[in-house]
Amino acid sequence: MGRLLTASIVTLGLLVGMIASLILAILMTMDAISLPFTIAATIVISVLIWLLSPWLLDLSLSWINGMKFLSDQELETRHPHVHRMLHEVAREFAFTPARVGIIADRNPTAFTYGRGRGNARIVLTEGIFEFLDEDETRAVVAHELGHIVHRDFIVMTIAGCLVQILYQIYVHTTKRNRGSSDKKNSLAGVGFAALVFYWIGQYLLLYLSRTREYMADAFAASRTSPGHLASALVKVAYGIAKVEDSDSTAQLLRSTRHMGLIDVKNAHSVGLMASTGEGPDGPDGPCDRYGKPVHKPTPIPAEAMLFDGYNPWAWFAELNSTHPLTGKRILALGEMAKAAGKPFQMDIAGAARRAGVDKGELWPHFLKEAAIYFAPYLVALLTVLAGYWYLALATGAATVIATLFLRYPMGEPKPTTVMALMSDPRASPVIGRPVRLEGTAIGRADAGSFVGEDLVMRDASGFTTLDFRSMFGVIGDLLSGWLRVKNHIGETGRATGWFRRGMLGHVILSRLETKAGVLSAVPYFWQVLLSLAAIAGTAVFVLAGGAELAREVPWDVLAKP
């Protein structure tokens, strides 16, 4: 907890330091009379948003999603375990118990919002009570209470305001870039620095959000059990993957993605793994003592979380996410359970030892794959720096073609299973692994679309997405999704392609064979076509004398103000 708190303080300190340094630089280069007013206005707007947003969210969730707040007595009668948790924490930290809102949605999700400890709301969907048992529900509520106790509403508002001020400084310096040449150069440098700091600030803001999630997990683990929260994370992901979305449920998940218990994108990957071998549910399935259907997702092997916990690409996979990857959170919860001497089923660290996973071994693979991914951009940049800017597009395109055989290896596809692919800690989002899967195409990846071209395949071990990429581009995808893909839904067959792993695991489809026929694709066709067009266009330009004309242009003179 101390390390996470320190990380939050350091992140906020970095943002404050960036702003302070830029303000000082501006004050030294010009008399920025309106800058304080701009900063003050940004702060006032942020404060107003902080004050009004809970009320606006109340209206929005009530109107669009049908949220209803439970009275304290209703909560105690319907969900006494939640009521006890709320009042225990409120008494300990001396604040008014959070109001609890319920949304009639089977997708299990939970989130909190408010102005501070005494003004907080916790929203739970009916899916939380459908898919989670009492201990897991208490762990989820404790996680949301962790956000309230740590005053995350205020922390994230301050951090967001600081990032906005960085952008205001950038805009201000670009508009005030007048006067002597020296002052112009100085302000241009400050403005560029402000823009760079703003970009960095966006990622620091996301990092801060992930840090607060870890802190809330730690709080929940201290109030309940790390194992209960870990199983809750898996069941929430399972429920999100299992429940068929309507327009309203999809809107709820998207709009509350940054506030929810788990990132929706990562939830689908984890949830699909947990769905394999699930127990029966519904009116004909087993029920608990309250008559509630019992959902029994398959316990996910710890090996399936090794990518999240140890592969360097996992850091990039969550870079644009407000939440850590689920595997990382479960790994951290496992460490908490070990430190507290509590039982914990999903031992990812133990799975890493059994599989012989070595972070030092994974880094060379990562560097090689990163070099392949960025090679076209680096080659094009070096061409520009060498003075041959008119050849940059062609050299970059040539590098794309040269690295295709690395990103799409042409070896014989090896038979495998979904769980084996997801359990590979060395899986890559760059270099595809030639694979062959036997299973059933159970539906479209985008269940609400009648032109969705991607399919979900289920084998005996799990589910994965078959990523279809037509050689005719977007139009080909739409036509195939409309006319061809539907014929394969519900059919058992064989899929071959290249497996890649990022936040989600998927197979880039080369060929799908079922009783409905053959669905084939050439996923790299457009990369080759556009690259050849770029090379041919550059060749025509050079042969027409464009290179000589380009070299004669006095760029140094044109670049002067």
Side-chain angles (χ1 to χ4, degrees):
M1 175 64 76
R3 180 173 60 84
L4 296 175
L5 185 60
T6 301
S8 297
I9 295 172
V10 169
T11 304
L12 288 172
L14 285 171
L15 292 169
V16 172
M18 289 178 184
I19 293 169
S21 62
L22 288 170
I23 292 174
L24 289 173
I26 291 173
L27 293 176
M28 286 188 295
T29 55
M30 66 174 295
D31 184 16
I33 299 173
S34 61
L35 182 60
F37 175 80
T38 303
I39 295 174
T42 302
I43 294 172
V44 169
I45 291 171
S46 298
V47 170
L48 286 175
I49 292 173
W50 168 66
L51 290 172
L52 295 176
S53 61
W55 177 72
L56 294 174
L57 276 172
D58 287 347
L59 290 178
S60 173
L61 292 170
S62 299
W63 181 39
I64 298 175
N65 303 106
M67 180 187 70
K68 295 182 179 179
F69 283 110
L70 299 182
S71 68
D72 193 67
Q73 185 176 358
E74 287 176 323
L75 180 64
E76 187 175 17
T77 302
R78 292 174 57 178
H79 308 294
H81 53 299
V82 173
H83 182 271
R84 285 195 302 273
M85 174 64 71
L86 289 177
H87 282 264
E88 286 171 5
V89 173
R91 280 195 303 270
E92 181 177 342
F93 292 91
F95 61 82
T96 304
R99 298 173 66 191
V100 174
I102 302 295
I103 295 177
D105 190 328
R106 288 192 66 215
N107 270 297
T109 189
F111 54 91
T112 185
Y113 61 93
R115 291 193 292 271
R117 285 181 171 181
N119 183 256
R121 291 91 152 145
I122 293 178
V123 179
L124 305 169
T125 61
E126 292 288 0
I128 286 289
F129 302 102
E130 177 182 345
F131 285 91
L132 276 59
D133 63 28
E134 288 190 2
D135 288 332
E136 293 160 344
T137 302
R138 280 172 55 84
V140 167
V141 173
H143 171 92
E144 301 305 329
L145 285 168
H147 286 302
I148 297 170
V149 169
H150 298 142
R151 297 183 174 89
D152 286 344
F153 317 129
I154 301 173
V155 171
M156 295 308 297
T157 298
I158 293 172
C161 180
L162 295 175
V163 173
Q164 291 176 47
I165 292 173
L166 286 170
Y167 187 75
Q168 293 291 348
I169 293 173
Y170 160 69
V171 172
H172 188 82
T173 52
T174 55
K175 288 186 176 180
R176 299 278 295 184
N177 194 358
R178 299 192 301 267
S180 66
S181 179
D182 291 340
K183 182 176 286 188
K184 281 185 177 182
N185 293 334
S186 299
L187 283 176
V190 172
F192 177 76
L195 184 60
V196 171
F197 285 172
Y198 170 73
W199 288 335
I200 296 173
Q202 297 277 18
Y203 288 101
L204 286 175
L205 192 61
L206 291 169
Y207 169 72
L208 179 62
S209 177
R210 295 194 295 271
T211 298
R212 309 309 289 187
E213 292 297 329
Y214 279 124
M215 291 178 66
D217 284 352
F219 182 84
S222 70
R223 307 298 305 191
T224 56
S225 168
H228 293 154
L229 182 57
S231 61
L233 292 174
V234 173
K235 284 189 177 181
V236 165
Y238 161 78
I240 290 174
K242 181 179 177 62
V243 173
E244 185 173 346
D245 287 333
S246 63
D247 290 340
S248 61
T249 59
Q251 179 273 335
L252 177 64
L253 290 176
R254 285 195 302 267
S255 62
T256 61
R257 180 186 172 196
H258 63 292
M259 298 190 296
L261 182 70
I262 186 174
D263 187 293
V264 175
K265 288 186 177 181
N266 191 221
H268 282 284
S269 178
V270 176
L272 288 177
M273 287 190 288
S275 295
T276 307
E278 60 193 348
D281 63 285
D284 300 324
C287 297
D288 62 15
R289 64 180 184 272
Y290 301 110
K292 184 180 71 173
V294 176
H295 297 274
K296 294 183 178 179
T298 300
I300 299 177
E303 285 77 8
M305 295 292 183
L306 289 177
F307 178 90
D308 286 7
Y310 294 93
N311 195 304
W313 280 113
W315 183 80
F316 281 89
E318 69 176 13
L319 197 59
N320 287 304
S321 175
T322 55
H323 290 64
L325 293 179
T326 304
K328 285 190 172 185
R329 295 172 71 178
I330 293 177
L331 180 62
L333 288 168
E335 293 173 352
M336 295 176 203
K338 183 178 179 181
K342 295 181 178 180
F344 196 82
Q345 291 185 340
M346 194 174 293
D347 185 8
I348 300 177
R353 290 191 295 271
R354 292 192 299 271
V357 176
D358 180 5
K359 279 190 174 182
E361 175 200 354
L362 293 175
W363 273 99
H365 289 283
F366 165 74
L367 295 175
K368 171 188 171 184
E369 292 161 3
I372 292 171
Y373 179 82
F374 290 108
Y377 306 101
L378 292 175
V379 169
L381 178 61
L382 290 173
T383 304
V384 172
L385 294 177
Y388 299 99
W389 61 267
Y390 49 88
L391 297 178
L393 188 61
T395 56
T399 309
V400 168
I401 295 175
T403 57
L404 270 179
F405 75 97
L406 296 173
R407 290 181 282 126
Y408 295 91
M410 294 297 128
E412 181 68 21
K414 295 183 179 180
T416 185
T417 65
V418 171
M419 192 58 71
L421 294 174
M422 296 300 291
S423 299
D424 182 7
R426 299 167 183 82
S428 167
V430 177
I431 298 178
R433 173 180 167 185
V435 298
R436 184 172 77 242
L437 294 172
E438 305 278 349
T440 303
I442 63 169
R444 300 179 194 267
D446 185 359
S449 172
F450 68 93
V451 293
E453 74 278 9
D454 298 336
L455 289 165
V456 174
M457 171 172 270
R458 176 176 185 168
D459 70 0
S461 70
F463 298 76
T464 192
T465 300
L466 302 180
D467 182 4
F468 178 82
R469 303 180 183 181
S470 172
M471 64 184 296
F472 300 108
V474 176
I475 299 299
D477 287 345
L478 293 174
L479 289 175
S480 296
W482 180 30
L483 300 175
R484 301 174 61 197
V485 166
K486 64 181 180 180
N487 299 325
H488 296 272
I489 295 176
E491 299 290 342
T492 299
R494 172 183 298 176
T496 56
W498 295 268
F499 176 75
R500 289 184 183 174
R501 176 74 188 270
M503 183 175 285
L504 305 175
H506 63 282
V507 174
I508 300 175
L509 191 63
S510 172
R511 185 180 179 89
L512 175 64
E513 301 174 64
T514 70
K515 291 180 180 179
V518 176
L519 184 66
S520 59
V522 184
Y524 45 81
F525 174 81
W526 273 99
Q527 295 180 58
V528 174
L529 182 64
L530 293 176
S531 296
L532 290 175
I535 294 171
T538 302
V540 170
F541 176 79
V542 172
L543 292 174
E548 287 73 13
L549 290 175
R551 282 194 288 266
E552 292 175 2
V553 174
W555 296 108
D556 56 336
V557 175
L558 294 177
K560 291 182 179 180

